[in-house]
Amino acid sequence: VAYFMLTLIPARFSVAVLFVVACFVSVAMGTSVGTITLLVPIAAAVFSASGFDRAFCVASVMGGAMFGDNLSFISDTTIAATRTQGCELKDKFKMNFRIALPAAVLTIFLLLVIGQPSAAADLQELDYSLLKVFPYIAVLGLALLGANVFLVLTAGIFLAGFIGMASAELTVITFAQNIWNGFMGMGEAFFLALFCGGISEMIAYYGGIEWLISKLRKMIKGNKSAQLGIAALVSLTDCATANNTVAIIISGGVAKDISNEYGIDSRRSASLLDIFSCVFQGIIPYGAQLLTASALASKNGAVINAMEIIPHMWYCWLLAIFGILSIYIPYADGGLKKERAKE
């Protein structure tokens, strides 16, 4: 797959292409973890073939995955944010898009201009088989068509296995062994995610989230500080729970009360909840996204730590900046002021 991509695209642009592909796939699938599972193996092949830093390649996929997690109509974070705030999906999408798009465009610009390999490999003639590329193309196509993530992944596994056995490079036994090795390779990340989930539930049970909410409410003085309060509330809740959907559900009721009290439009509060939960979910080292990405990128004895990826998560950092700017410069509000004037 890496060789196929690098014959079509100059090596210096490959990481930007990974980011764009991840954006499209995550919007179609509505899941950041599913997108990371699909694309990090491709990113791993690209960095080994093109001379890019491994953490840099993985971070580009991570950024694109969080783009779709924030915007997709079928993302659980989008559904949770709109349901708790009482607004329509399309209205929240329009507001979110005006914040996420500048962050994505600037990320692509940085990847094209600044994100160059320190020592690009001499690729010369790259040997690849289109037949072996086909499972990835099929998986990406199904994802973009909006197929269920489990169906997409299962289809990819068996399609790759069938091609491997047809070309006599796999047998039924070695095919099963490869699937087993894949599952076992994810064991550490799986159990760590379970432990993080258990700790977050204990924090909520013993009143940690309620204490956080009470402290933040005391700092709110007006409309702008109320919006910052909603952003801070869902951000800190996400850091405590390591799950952006859970963080939105926990914070949603309080955010709705704050928005009613300080005159914040429901679309605005839903947008803030989704944006800032996705920002922190993409950069906390114990979240499912970074755990999955680092586990998939750590192959053949080369281990990559989640902390190595975080500095390269340009999209998440830029999304946070544009999210805060939108509070003070209401460029994302669109027709809100006109609608209020009519009312």
Side-chain angles (χ1 to χ4, degrees):
V1 168
Y3 288 171
F4 176 64
M5 285 182 63
L6 293 173
T7 55
L8 300 177
I9 304 156
R12 64 184 183 276
F13 301 142
S14 55
V15 178
V17 171
L18 282 172
F19 174 78
V20 173
V21 171
C23 287
F24 278 109
V25 172
S26 58
V27 169
M29 292 177 63
T31 164
S32 53
V33 175
T35 301
I36 289 164
T37 304
L38 294 178
L39 297 182
V40 166
I42 298 178
V46 167
F47 73 67
S48 63
S50 63
F52 277 100
D53 178 73
R54 186 181 350 171
F56 183 56
C57 286
V58 174
S60 68
V61 172
M62 282 280 300
M66 299 317 296
F67 175 87
D69 200 344
N70 177 27
L71 284 177
S72 176
F73 276 75
I74 58 173
S75 169
D76 48 1
T77 58
T78 295
I79 295 167
T82 52
R83 289 289 180 86
T84 58
Q85 302 309 295
C87 65
E88 294 294 325
L89 286 168
K90 62 179 181 179
D91 295 328
K92 177 260 181 189
F93 172 84
K94 291 176 184 176
M95 186 167 291
N96 256 31
F97 189 71
R98 292 187 179 99
I99 299 170
L101 182 62
V105 170
L106 187 52
T107 300
I108 293 170
F109 175 78
L110 291 173
L111 290 173
L112 290 173
V113 176
I114 301 175
Q116 302 290 332
S118 56
D122 183 11
L123 300 178
Q124 297 179 355
E125 290 188 14
L126 300 174
D127 183 28
Y128 63 88
S129 166
L130 282 176
L131 186 63
K132 294 177 183 177
V133 172
F134 182 69
Y136 281 100
I137 296 174
V139 163
L140 293 178
L142 287 171
L144 289 171
L145 289 172
N148 179 275
V149 62
F150 292 106
L151 174 63
V152 170
L153 294 174
T154 304
I157 290 170
F158 283 98
L159 185 57
F162 176 77
I163 290 172
M165 288 185 280
S167 60
E169 294 186 31
L170 286 176
T171 65
V172 174
I173 293 174
T174 55
F175 176 48
Q177 286 174 338
N178 275 286
I179 293 175
W180 172 253
N181 291 336
F183 279 122
M184 293 305 293
M186 290 297 295
E188 184 177 336
F190 176 72
F191 284 110
L192 187 55
L194 281 178
F195 285 129
C196 287
I199 291 171
S200 67
E201 182 61 26
M202 290 175 65
I203 291 170
Y205 179 81
Y206 285 105
I209 303 298
E210 291 180 6
W211 176 85
L212 181 63
I213 290 169
S214 66
K215 292 294 181 182
L216 283 172
R217 290 203 66 156
K218 293 178 181 177
M219 301 177 186
I220 296 173
K221 306 297 182 184
N223 183 278
K224 303 295 185 187
S225 62
Q227 292 185 55
L228 285 174
I230 291 172
L233 174 62
V234 75
S235 300
L236 293 172
T237 306
D238 184 73
C239 291
T241 60
N243 187 303
N244 47 351
T245 306
V246 172
I248 291 171
I249 293 170
I250 291 174
S251 308
V254 179
K256 184 63 176 173
D257 292 341
I258 293 173
S259 62
N260 288 336
E261 185 176 345
Y262 291 95
I264 302 170
D265 190 274
S266 60
R267 290 165 288 187
R268 183 75 180 143
S269 58
S271 177
L272 290 170
L273 285 173
D274 204 349
I275 285 172
F276 285 93
S277 67
C278 286
V279 165
F280 281 85
Q281 189 63 29
I283 59 177
I284 52 174
Y286 48 90
Q289 286 77 4
L290 270 173
L291 290 175
T292 302
S294 57
L296 289 170
S298 300
K299 299 293 182 183
N300 302 322
V303 178
I304 182 170
N305 191 290
M307 297 301 293
E308 298 176 52
I309 303 172
I310 294 172
H312 301 287
M313 291 292 296
W314 295 346
Y315 173 72
C316 285
W317 299 115
L318 289 170
L319 183 62
I321 291 170
F322 279 101
I324 293 171
L325 282 176
S326 71
I327 294 174
Y328 294 97
I329 308 171
Y331 62 88
D333 289 357
L336 279 183
K337 290 184 179 179
K338 292 181 181 178
E339 290 179 18
R340 285 173 185 165
K342 289 180 181 179
E343 292 173 1

